[in-house]
Amino acid sequence: MNPELRVLVVEDEASTRQEMASLLGDMPEVSEVLVASNGASAVRLLGTTSIDAAFLDILMPGLDGMDVARVLSVMSEPPSIVFVTASEAHAVEAFGIGAVDYLLKPIRPERLAEAVGRIAQLRYSNTTASPAEDLHVVQIDTGRRTVFVKRDDVQFVEAQGDYVRLHTTEGTHLIRLSLSYLEEVWASAGFVRVHRGFLIAIPWVRDLRVTSSSGLVAGTPAGDVPVSRRHGRHLRAQLLEAAKHDQLGRSAAGRPGTAKEQ
């Protein structure tokens, strides 16, 4: 596979901008690296050329990285977005916008390469298997042991900085992936966005209810998941459709059950 990605680095610190451009330029997946020192310059550049991916610093004078990302998101063919920042404070918002990855400064070459590889896989994969089948089983290396988690055992997914936490009946597992990436590759398996920081597996939903502390939540055997007002209507529609096909309320043994709204 030779994707030849055209990437844009938007960074106001000259040394960091040069370092990232150099590292990206040496990667076999990247054919060209464009740079911009601020958000306004990046937006002007995007009006004259197309790119496959943008690496955006979040905290910049004037138009910041989030502003640029919102401009990118409304393009007819939006590029993949990777945020680069010194703080984890914006991680949930970043993945809510649809970021592929979220890198913390100082940039580690292996993490940058991992982000590029993920972009290449998302944009140029020509395998015959569907994206969801590529992660039918998630391999998690914990240092001392390797854990294999079946996608069908995951009841909901929670964004946590550079990572996501997979929630199952038996416990939770932390893995370095973005929520937006899993949203895309697991969509056909019934995973839907219910909050900017959460995905839920429709077959595992037992009920919807309103709580005094969290508002609307979706109940699963692994715990309650917050549902934002923005996503509530879509979730209800998905649950109704699943119920029609007897695909709602999966039990620990894998048998469908019945979910209800209270």
Side-chain angles (χ1 to χ4, degrees), residues 78-189:
S80 298
I81 297 171
V82 175
F83 286 105
V84 183
T85 181
S87 171
E88 296 182 355
H90 302 279
V92 173
E93 182 181 2
F95 287 128
I97 289 176
V100 170
D101 212 334
Y102 188 94
L103 307 182
L104 293 176
K105 298 178 182 178
I107 301 299
R108 291 186 288 124
E110 62 270 22
R111 280 291 288 121
L112 190 61
E114 183 181 328
V116 170
R118 186 172 298 157
I119 292 167
Q121 181 180 5
L122 282 172
R123 299 185 69 83
Y124 295 97
S125 176
N126 57 3
T127 59
T128 56
S130 69
E133 290 303 315
D134 291 341
L135 280 179
H136 184 77
V137 176
V138 178
Q139 177 179 322
I140 303 173
D141 295 313
T142 63
R144 295 185 177 182
R145 67 187 183 123
T146 300
V147 178
F148 297 92
V149 180
K150 293 181 180 179
R151 178 197 63 205
D152 292 344
D153 290 338
V154 177
Q155 298 178 24
F156 65 94
V157 185
E158 179 181 3
Q160 292 190 345
D162 276 351
Y163 297 79
V164 292
R165 186 172 294 277
L166 310 178
H167 292 259
T168 71
T169 302
E170 288 73 27
T172 69
H173 305 276
L174 198 63
I175 185 171
R176 184 174 283 159
L177 287 172
S178 75
L179 197 70
S180 58
Y181 176 70
L182 283 183
E183 181 181 17
E184 180 171 348
V185 300
W186 281 0
S188 63

Side-chain angles (χ1 to χ4, degrees), residues 1-254:
M1 182 176 64
N2 185 24
E4 296 188 350
L5 298 169
R6 300 184 77 236
V7 303
L8 171 64
V9 175
V10 186
E11 168 64 61
D12 63 332
E13 296 180 358
S15 59
T16 303
R17 185 170 65 247
Q18 293 166 4
E19 178 187 14
M20 289 187 60
S22 177
L23 290 171
L24 289 166
D26 289 339
M27 295 181 186
E29 300 94 338
V30 176
S31 64
E32 185 177 1
V33 181
L34 307 174
V35 296
S37 59
N38 54 63
S41 296
V43 171
R44 287 195 295 270
L45 183 62
L46 291 168
T48 62
T49 188
S50 62
I51 60 170
D52 299 301
F55 291 78
L56 308 175
D57 184 20
I58 292 181
L59 300 178
M60 294 184 294
L63 289 178
D64 62 20
M66 292 294 182
D67 295 327
V68 176
R70 293 185 184 97
V71 173
L72 295 175
S73 67
V74 299
M75 296 175 64
S76 57
E77 295 184 8
S80 298
I81 297 171
V82 175
F83 286 105
V84 183
T85 181
S87 171
E88 296 182 355
H90 302 279
V92 173
E93 182 181 2
F95 287 128
I97 289 176
V100 170
D101 212 334
Y102 188 94
L103 307 182
L104 293 176
K105 298 178 182 178
I107 301 299
R108 291 186 288 124
E110 62 270 22
R111 280 291 288 121
L112 190 61
E114 183 181 328
V116 170
R118 186 172 298 157
I119 292 167
Q121 181 180 5
L122 282 172
R123 299 185 69 83
Y124 295 97
S125 176
N126 57 3
T127 59
T128 56
S130 69
E133 290 303 315
D134 291 341
L135 280 179
H136 184 77
V137 176
V138 178
Q139 177 179 322
I140 303 173
D141 295 313
T142 63
R144 295 185 177 182
R145 67 187 183 123
T146 300
V147 178
F148 297 92
V149 180
K150 293 181 180 179
R151 178 197 63 205
D152 292 344
D153 290 338
V154 177
Q155 298 178 24
F156 65 94
V157 185
E158 179 181 3
Q160 292 190 345
D162 276 351
Y163 297 79
V164 292
R165 186 172 294 277
L166 310 178
H167 292 259
T168 71
T169 302
E170 288 73 27
T172 69
H173 305 276
L174 198 63
I175 185 171
R176 184 174 283 159
L177 287 172
S178 75
L179 197 70
S180 58
Y181 176 70
L182 283 183
E183 181 181 17
E184 180 171 348
V185 300
W186 281 0
S188 63
F191 284 79
V192 298
R193 179 85 65 141
V194 294
H195 186 277
R196 63 182 182 179
F198 289 87
L199 302 178
I200 199 168
I202 290 294
W204 281 105
V205 177
R206 287 179 167 178
D207 59 20
L208 286 178
R209 64 187 184 280
V210 177
T211 66
S212 58
S213 58
S214 302
L216 183 64
V217 299
T220 75
D224 291 341
V225 182
V227 179
S228 70
R229 182 178 301 177
R230 172 186 174 189
H231 294 95
R233 181 178 297 179
H234 177 65
L235 176 60
R236 286 187 175 90
Q238 293 286 95
L239 292 173
L240 285 172
E241 187 65 24
K244 291 178 183 178
H245 296 88
D246 198 24
Q247 298 171 344
L248 198 58
R250 179 179 290 161
S251 69

